[in-house]
Structure formats: structure tokens, C-alpha cells
Amino acid sequence: MMFSRIIATSAIAALFFAGCCEKCPEEKTAAAQTPVASRAQQSASLPERPVTLSLWTEHAPAKDSLEAFVRAVTDSTSSDFIPVERRIAAFDWDGTLFLETAPTYFDWMLFEHRVLDDSTFKPSKQQLKAAREGREKKVFPGLSAERERMVAQAYKGMTLSEFEAYVRAFMAEPQPGFTGLKRGEAYYKPMVEVVKFLTANGFTVYVSSGTERYTMRPVVMDGLGLPPRQIIGSDVVVVSNNQNGADGLAYTIQDGDNLVLAGESIIKNLQMNKVTALAREIGYQPVLAFGNSGTDASLLNYAIHGNKYRAMGFMLLCDDLEREYGNEAKAEKMRAASEKNGWIPVSMKNDWKTIYGDSVQKAN
């Protein structure tokens, strides 16, 4: 509809200026002499070809549901119309937009790299034991405050710019488990398409993850083109390098100070914590939510319940064993949860034409 209005407006403008030129021959001559480069710039400002979900299989139920939703809520004549400022879509990151199965989460793989591969870092016995068990035995510690503290301490003293450079260097390494893929490129291409599709239709997309905020920022900024203000993650303490333990209320930052990681975790952005983070940082209830596990249940339910606007929740099922390291048992569990909670299941195996692109292959 928006495209039709633009065309109609352009047509009216063309008639108006054509009439003027009939009355003003000198203007008509000048227009005919407009440089080719200038006319190219004008055409470049025309609307781009609409974004479509071309990497999804034809009539995939989730695809059809999402497209129907977007058509309805962007139609100003529809009773389901949602104004642009309230078109909020919230996505989990690991396992929803980005690889988490080869063999585990990006942030934990970064921790293993820091502990086992970085000769400049001297790990504690606890850090060394956890990293070795993860890499050698594929045994990862469960969620706990102790785990978060251990990981946060691995980067204590790094400035934010130093840490970003550290993450970016890790992003450039080959992704284990696949050929033709770097760690920072491991996005599910059909889901990247969803982000672009929603953005093109006036939605503001937020990524809300259990991964620590400063860790995921460069990966999300590069992979999805989102600004930092739309990236929400688990939080750690940041201080001035000259603060020396002083309370933040008692210290004034000075010229020459740098912000550094303090090695302390504040909060893990999962389950109900995702909801409170959205309420705090956005102020609006999302009308679309996307997740892939039970720790995203609150996020999806927050979107679809008690919403003044039409809303939907989508649950991604990692059920592809050929192109991805899928888990059928988990996929079936989340399919059952989707049926119970009113979420739309998304099947990697059945709904997507590709996962990482045709040039990427799962390693033997």
C-alpha cells in the first residue's frame, strides 16, 4: 500500500511539472539537459524492491502466518493496524538468529579461547577446569551466578574498545563444525531475511539474549546491521580505569579515563529477566517475539498476552540433522510447548531452503 501511494504521488507530481514545462519552454530545455549522473541519483531515491522471504519454502506455515500478520498490521484501513512506533519485534539471539550447536554458545566458545588459547591470560584453576571440560568432553556448566562470575573475570581490566577488538578477532576465525563459515558469519540466513523483512515494513527490531551485551554487540551489528541501542544482553559491571573501587556515586570521570570491564556479572538476561529488560529499555510491549528454547518462554508470552495490539510468538525448532546439528528431542519438546502456549513453530528442516547458504557445508 505504501508503495502504491508513493507511485500515485509521483504520478501527480509528474503531471504538475509537465504542465509547468508546457508553459515554460526554457525550463523544459533545462530539464532535457539534466546530467545523466543527476538523473541516476534521482532514480536511486526510488523505493527498493520489496523484501521477500525467498529463503523459506513455499507456503511454510510460519512464513504464511508472518506475512499475513505484517500485511494486516501495516494496512492503515485494517482493524489490526499498528502505528510504526509500536511495531516492536524482539528476537532471542543464540539458536534463534545465530548458531548455538557447534558445539555451543558463542560466548562460551570465546571463554574457552581466552582460557586455553590466549597465552597473555593466566586463568584460575576453576576457569581452566571448566574450559577443558567444555572443549574436550563437551560438558558445559549449567546456568549459575558462579559461572557468570567466572566468565566475566576472564576479561577483567580490558577496555571496551580492547574487548570489542578481541571479539572481532575471534569472529574472523573459522567456525568449527562447518566449512566455508567464519564464527561471526554463523547467522541463519532465513532469519536474517525475517529481520530485513520486518525492518522494511516499519518494525523496530531488538535482539535480547542471554549472551553478555558487549560480547554480542559487534556480532549483531555486523550480521544484522542493528545499532547498539537495539541490542540487549546480560550485563556486567563497567568502571573507569582510575575509579579504584570507589562507588559510582562518589567518582567523577576525568579526561583520559577509559571504561574497563570490572570482571563482575550483574544479571543474566534470560526468562523473566528478558521481560523486565524490555520493559526497562524499550518501554513498549513487543507485538512479535522469536525464540528457540524454554528460556525464551517469558519473552514470547509477554508479547502475545495482554497486548492492546495483535501479536504473535514464533518458536524455532532445531530439527535439521543434515544441514545442522539438530536435536530432535528438544525440537519435539518445543513443538509441544508451542501448541500449549499458542506460539507458531518454525521448522529448520521443513521451512527453510537453506540455513547458512549454499557455500557452507556441515563438516563430516
Side-chain angles (χ1 to χ4, degrees):
M1 177 170 287
M2 183 63 72
F3 183 78
S4 300
R5 288 179 179 173
I6 293 172
I7 294 297
T9 303
S10 300
I12 293 170
L15 290 172
F16 174 78
F17 285 112
C20 286
C21 289
E22 289 299 322
K23 295 179 181 180
C24 308
E26 66 276 13
E27 294 183 15
K28 186 174 183 178
T29 301
Q33 295 174 348
T34 300
V36 173
S38 176
R39 290 199 294 271
Q41 291 172 357
Q42 293 172 6
S43 64
S45 66
L46 293 175
E48 296 180 359
R49 186 176 180 180
V51 177
T52 60
L53 302 181
S54 62
L55 300 179
W56 292 64
T57 57
E58 192 68 20
H59 297 306
K63 171 180 178 289
D64 288 349
S65 295
L66 181 60
E67 288 178 331
F69 175 89
V70 171
R71 280 195 301 270
V73 303
T74 57
D75 181 352
S76 61
T77 66
S78 169
S79 60
D80 290 324
F81 177 74
I82 300 176
V84 170
E85 65 272 15
R86 299 300 296 268
R87 293 179 202 167
I88 305 297
F91 289 75
D92 169 55
W93 188 53
D94 298 282
T96 300
L97 293 166
F98 192 82
L99 169 70
E100 73 167 15
T101 57
T104 187
Y105 305 104
F106 180 90
D107 59 343
W108 184 261
M109 302 301 291
L110 180 68
F111 171 76
E112 287 184 4
H113 168 75
R114 176 69 164 163
V115 172
L116 300 176
D117 305 325
D118 187 346
S119 61
T120 68
F121 178 66
K122 303 304 179 185
S124 67
K125 291 182 179 179
Q126 180 194 30
Q127 289 171 326
L128 192 58
K129 179 177 183 293
R132 283 177 173 168
E133 287 182 347
R135 180 170 293 183
E136 298 168 6
K137 301 178 183 179
K138 303 297 184 291
V139 175
F140 310 106
L143 294 176
S144 68
E146 184 62 21
R147 166 183 154 154
E148 298 308 303
R149 183 193 63 79
M150 176 180 65
V151 173
Q153 287 185 339
Y155 314 106
K156 182 178 180 179
M158 280 189 175
T159 68
L160 295 188
S161 58
E162 287 171 345
F163 184 64
E164 179 178 346
Y166 196 81
V167 174
R168 288 189 177 281
F170 189 66
M171 289 166 57
E173 292 190 356
Q175 171 61 54
F178 294 89
T179 59
L181 189 67
K182 294 180 180 179
R183 290 186 184 274
E185 300 171 339
Y187 277 91
Y188 306 143
K189 288 189 176 296
M191 293 303 293
V192 174
E193 209 172 43
V194 169
V195 170
K196 293 180 178 178
F197 173 67
L198 293 176
T199 301
N201 281 280
F203 284 79
T204 302
V205 171
Y206 290 85
V207 176
S208 180
S209 174
T211 295
E212 188 273 322
R213 187 188 303 255
Y214 296 109
T215 301
M216 64 185 295
R217 267 186 183 173
V219 195
V220 175
M221 290 167 65
D222 284 9
L224 298 178
L226 298 180
R229 64 180 177 274
Q230 290 166 224
I231 303 170
I232 304 169
S234 295
D235 280 317
V236 294
V237 176
V238 174
V239 297
S240 165
N241 61 322
N242 292 318
Q243 197 165 332
N244 296 321
D247 186 85
L249 292 175
Y251 184 80
T252 301
I253 195 167
Q254 303 292 327
D255 183 26
D257 281 14
N258 286 309
L259 297 181
V260 299
L261 298 172
E264 299 176 37
S265 174
I266 300 174
I267 190 170
K268 190 68 172 176
N269 188 47
L270 291 174
Q271 201 53 294
M272 184 59 195
N273 289 342
K274 286 195 173 188
V275 174
T276 55
L278 293 182
R280 179 176 63 251
E281 301 199 22
I282 303 175
Y284 287 141
Q285 192 174 1
V287 295
L288 284 173
F290 298 79
N292 79 303
S293 71
T295 58
D296 300 316
S298 288
L299 172 65
L300 271 63
N301 285 340
Y302 176 52
I304 66 176
H305 296 305
N307 205 319
K308 66 181 292 186
Y309 298 105
R310 179 177 171 181
M312 298 185 76
F314 292 80
M315 180 60 69
L316 183 60
L317 313 180
C318 188
D319 56 0
D320 196 313
L321 306 182
E322 298 296 323
R323 302 173 297 179
E324 173 60 294
Y325 296 88
N327 185 324
E328 290 182 319
K330 178 185 175 182
E332 286 307 309
K333 180 180 178 180
M334 299 321 299
R335 187 184 299 278
S338 296
E339 183 176 350
K340 176 182 177 181
N341 289 278
W343 310 325
I344 305 298
V346 178
S347 169
M348 280 189 177
K349 179 173 64 176
N350 300 321
D351 294 351
W352 293 353
K353 295 178 182 178
T354 184
I355 296 181
Y356 302 106
D358 295 338
S359 63
V360 176
Q361 299 296 321
K362 182 180 174 183
N364 293 326

